[in-house]
């Protein structure tokens, strides 16, 4: 899957660490009979698959499953589509179009959900997501295909934030870790089956059916989820308060983020001297817009919510940037086939889900900050261990083992921060804060991938790939260990920085910073 699409296997955005008291349940949604402290009494009826939540849980987890399957399947079919549409020069824009419009959709969804409830944003987002797939699947020219990806990205941005608001409003605090773990688990099967299924469909029926087949499945989860969301999470968080109008300044900032990111990606794909101009314009738009959308103090790692949002970006960006180069390193430097190189990362889907499950246990609740620190240390160790296979004497299975531990750490971090974000957000701010988290995630992915790619190319990484392509599987002629080390070692350092940020998730005591 790509940085543009939810590589984060908890699906929507994530968060921070102050172990504060659970948020009160909004008065407008029904809840099971409360216990002495006002929380629903745990039991069969109040589990995520109990009678009270079964339809909602199955519906929204199925939505995440479809998003995960699409993200893994489309990446497999994309090269075939670009070749048939004679659009190889526009290949990268099929990914960047999704990313840039999804950023705008995230901010709009956050405001929409906070002011009107998540129902409308989720329904419209799924409709746009499906329409984008259909448009790409029926495209007769590459530019139409790219427009379809942009429409799909807008829908994906609306959906991913709306899902977080649904969790915040519809589930009591003691069930939120479990539903986040279910989101993570829903990525396991698509991660393994998605590429194989998409490849088979593309070969037997044609690449278009990879895009056209998924929208037909959208109706089932929506039929389960939307009525339950209407009962439990429709309308504003406080029905008695006046509904504020949309924040036009924030919408303009979202547009600035999307345009700025698009210009930077264009400049990175068109490596010419003239590319300096769109790069400068993109940075001028992006930097002030991001600072205006993220919580104040994010880049100073202020304790509480700002550090949660920052940690999300650091964790996702460093891990995904490093993971993107693992298969290439195994193919070009150790002579593995692309299939075996990809399988070396397959165990990560299961260990990621396991880490998310561990953080969802009630006993983990008082230790979320420590779990986040441990998770980031595991991520840093995994990234630092991966390039040891550049030494021929080191067995290649070391990468699979290391990445299994790294994915377990990511499950701890992403799951814990997701839960903490909701705990640190007032009900009427859950959408805005979730959007900020997603933006931190997506931008960090793109920026760190760009930085890693630039370092890789500067040290001859492109020559390594070209040589391996021409020399078959030997990889000897294209040996460029320094280029790969320039990607992995800095990303390991970024992950170590994340371990420090994880110590600042707890809200500061009065009188302290």
């Amino acid at each position: 899957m790509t940085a543009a699409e939810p590589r984060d296997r908890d699906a929507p955005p994530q968060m921070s660490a102050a172990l504060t008291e659970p948020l009160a349940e909004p008065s407008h949604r029904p809840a099971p009979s409360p216990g002495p402290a006002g929380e629903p009494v745990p039991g069969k009826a109040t589990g995520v698959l109990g009678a009270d939540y079964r339809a909602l849980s199955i519906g929204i987890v199925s939505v995440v499953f479809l998003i995960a399957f699409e993200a893994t399947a489309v990446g497999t079919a994309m090269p075939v589509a670009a070749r048939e549409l004679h659009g190889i020069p526009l290949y990268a824009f099929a990914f960047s179009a999704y990313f840039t419009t999804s950023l705008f959709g995230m901010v709009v969804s956050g405001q929409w959900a906070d002011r009107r409830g998540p129902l409308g944003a989720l329904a419209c987002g799924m409709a746009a997501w499906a329409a984008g797939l259909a448009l790409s699947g029926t495209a007769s020219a590459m530019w139409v295909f790219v427009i379809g990806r942009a429409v799909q990205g807008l829908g994906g941005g609306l959906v991913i934030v709306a899902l977080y608001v649904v969790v915040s409003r519809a589930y009591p605090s003691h069930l939120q870790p479990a539903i986040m773990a279910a989101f993570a688990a829903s990525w396991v099967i698509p991660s393994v089956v998605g590429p194989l299924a998409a490849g088979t469909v593309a070969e037997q029926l044609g690449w278009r059916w990879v895009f056209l087949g998924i929208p037909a499945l959208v109706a089932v989860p929506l039929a389960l989820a939307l009525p339950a969301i209407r009962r439990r999470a429709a309308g504003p968080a406080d029905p008695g308060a006046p509904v504020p109008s949309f924040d036009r300044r924030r919408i303009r900032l979202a547009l600035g983020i999307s345009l700025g990111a698009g210009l930077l990606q264009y400049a990175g794909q068109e490596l010419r001297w003239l590319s300096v101009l769109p790069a400068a314009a993109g940075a001028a738009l992006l930097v002030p817009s991001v600072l205006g959308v993220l919580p104040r103090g994010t880049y100073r790692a202020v304790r509480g919510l700002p550090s949660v949002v920052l940690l999300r970006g650091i964790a996702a960006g460093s891990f995904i940037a490093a993971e993107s180069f693992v298969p290439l390193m195994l193919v070009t430097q150790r002579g593995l086939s692309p299939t075996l190189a990809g399988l070396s990362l397959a165990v990560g889907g299961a260990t990621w889900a396991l880490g998310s499950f561990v953080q969802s246990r009630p006993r983990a609740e008082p230790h979320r900050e420590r779990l986040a620190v441990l998770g980031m240390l595991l991520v840093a160790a995994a990234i630092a261990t991966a390039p040891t296979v550049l030494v021929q004497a080191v067995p290649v299975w070391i990468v699979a083992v290391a990445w299994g531990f790294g994915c377990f750490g990511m499950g701890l971090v992403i799951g814990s921060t997701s839960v903490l974000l909701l705990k640190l957000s007032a009900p009427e701010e859950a959408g805005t804060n979730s959007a900020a988290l997603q933006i931190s995630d997506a931008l960090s992915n793109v920026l760190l991938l760009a930085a890693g790619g630039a370092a890789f190319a500067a040290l001859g990484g492109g020559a390594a790939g070209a040589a391996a392509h021409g020399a078959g599987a030997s990889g000897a002629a294209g040996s460029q260990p320094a280029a790969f080390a320039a990607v992995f070692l800095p990303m390991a350092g970024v992950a170590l920085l994340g371990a420090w940020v994880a110590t600042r998730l707890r809200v500061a005591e009065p009188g302290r910073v």
Side-chain angles (χ1 to χ4, degrees):
M1 63 204 86
T2 71
E5 301 183 67
R7 174 45 205 260
D8 92 61
R9 306 174 200 196
D10 269 5
Q14 9 327 9
M15 332 8 189
S16 231
L19 301 178
T20 58
E21 291 301 314
L23 294 173
E25 294 295 308
S27 59
H28 70 280
R29 71 170 180 264
S33 301
E39 282 282 318
V41 177
K44 181 177 179 181
T46 57
V48 294
L49 290 179
D52 292 322
Y53 298 100
R54 186 180 300 124
L56 176 62
S57 297
I58 293 175
I60 62 176
V61 170
S62 297
V63 168
V64 176
F65 181 89
L66 281 178
I67 291 174
F69 187 81
E70 180 274 337
T72 57
V74 165
T76 302
M78 196 83 76
V80 182
R83 185 170 62 249
E84 185 172 314
L85 295 173
H86 307 288
I88 296 297
L90 295 177
Y91 181 78
F93 290 101
F95 292 102
S96 61
Y98 185 105
F99 168 72
T100 53
T101 55
S102 67
L103 284 173
F104 183 74
M106 290 170 193
V107 175
V108 172
S109 182
Q111 294 207 30
W112 191 345
D114 284 342
R115 287 158 175 77
R116 305 289 183 181
L119 183 63
L122 179 61
C124 289
M126 289 302 295
W129 183 76
L133 281 169
L135 183 58
S136 292
T138 57
S140 58
M142 191 63 181
W143 66 268
V144 178
F145 185 92
V146 171
I147 291 176
R149 293 287 292 164
V151 173
Q152 188 190 350
L154 179 64
L158 290 170
V159 169
I160 205 166
V161 172
L163 283 174
Y164 261 73
V165 180
V166 169
V167 173
S168 172
R169 294 194 187 183
Y171 292 88
S173 58
H174 71 277
L175 292 182
Q176 290 173 4
I179 197 65
M180 290 298 180
F183 283 169
S186 66
W187 277 84
V188 176
I189 294 177
S191 296
V192 177
V193 176
L196 178 62
T200 301
V201 170
E203 290 177 7
Q204 301 299 322
L205 301 177
W207 65 268
R208 295 182 185 277
W209 287 103
V210 177
F211 291 84
L212 296 176
I214 297 175
L217 304 176
V218 169
V220 176
L222 289 184
L224 285 171
L226 294 184
I229 294 172
R230 185 178 290 109
R231 290 193 304 271
R232 292 184 172 274
D238 184 357
V243 178
S245 60
F246 277 72
D247 186 342
R248 295 182 180 180
R249 173 181 173 274
R250 199 169 185 85
I251 297 296
R252 289 195 298 269
L253 291 175
L255 186 60
I257 290 174
S258 294
L259 292 176
L263 287 170
L264 284 175
Q265 289 181 79
Y266 173 79
Q269 292 158 12
E270 297 289 333
L271 296 178
R272 300 175 298 173
W273 282 110
L274 289 178
S275 297
V276 174
L277 297 178
L285 280 171
L286 186 64
V287 173
S289 298
V290 169
L291 293 176
V293 168
L294 298 185
R296 182 172 298 178
T298 296
Y299 290 106
R300 292 186 289 112
V302 171
R303 288 186 178 274
L305 183 64
S307 286
V308 169
V309 173
L310 178 60
L311 177 61
R312 170 61 178 215
I314 288 175
S318 60
F319 188 80
I320 299 306
E323 187 179 59
S324 298
F325 285 86
V326 169
L328 182 64
M329 177 176 66
L330 294 177
V331 169
T332 62
Q333 307 302 295
R334 296 301 299 265
L336 269 66
S337 69
T339 300
L340 287 177
L343 287 176
S344 69
L345 304 178
V347 69
T351 58
W352 190 311
L354 178 61
S356 189
F357 173 79
V358 168
Q359 66 79 34
S360 74
R361 298 298 84 199
R363 292 182 180 180
E365 188 61 36
H367 309 293
R368 292 203 177 277
E369 185 181 70
R370 294 180 181 178
L371 287 176
V373 173
L374 172 62
M376 290 309 304
L377 290 175
L378 289 173
V379 170
I383 295 174
T385 300
T388 61
V389 298
L390 294 168
V391 178
Q392 295 296 316
V394 177
V396 293
W397 54 259
I398 288 294
V399 172
V401 173
W403 228 247
F405 280 101
C407 285
F408 179 81
M410 286 295 288
L412 293 176
V413 173
I414 299 302
S416 292
T417 53
S418 296
V419 172
L420 289 168
L421 172 80
L422 298 180
K423 285 191 172 185
L424 292 173
S425 301
E428 66 275 9
E429 296 176 345
T432 297
N433 291 341
S434 294
L437 185 73
Q438 278 295 85
I439 288 170
S440 176
D441 181 319
L443 280 176
S444 180
N445 282 342
V446 170
L447 294 177
L448 289 181
L449 272 169
F456 182 74
L459 291 175
H469 180 74
S474 69
S479 180
Q480 296 287 346
F484 288 98
V487 174
F488 287 98
L489 297 184
M491 295 307 159
V494 173
L496 280 177
L497 176 64
W500 172 77
V501 174
T503 67
R504 301 182 60 79
L505 300 181
R506 192 180 301 272
V507 172
E509 299 175 5
R512 297 181 60 184
V513 177

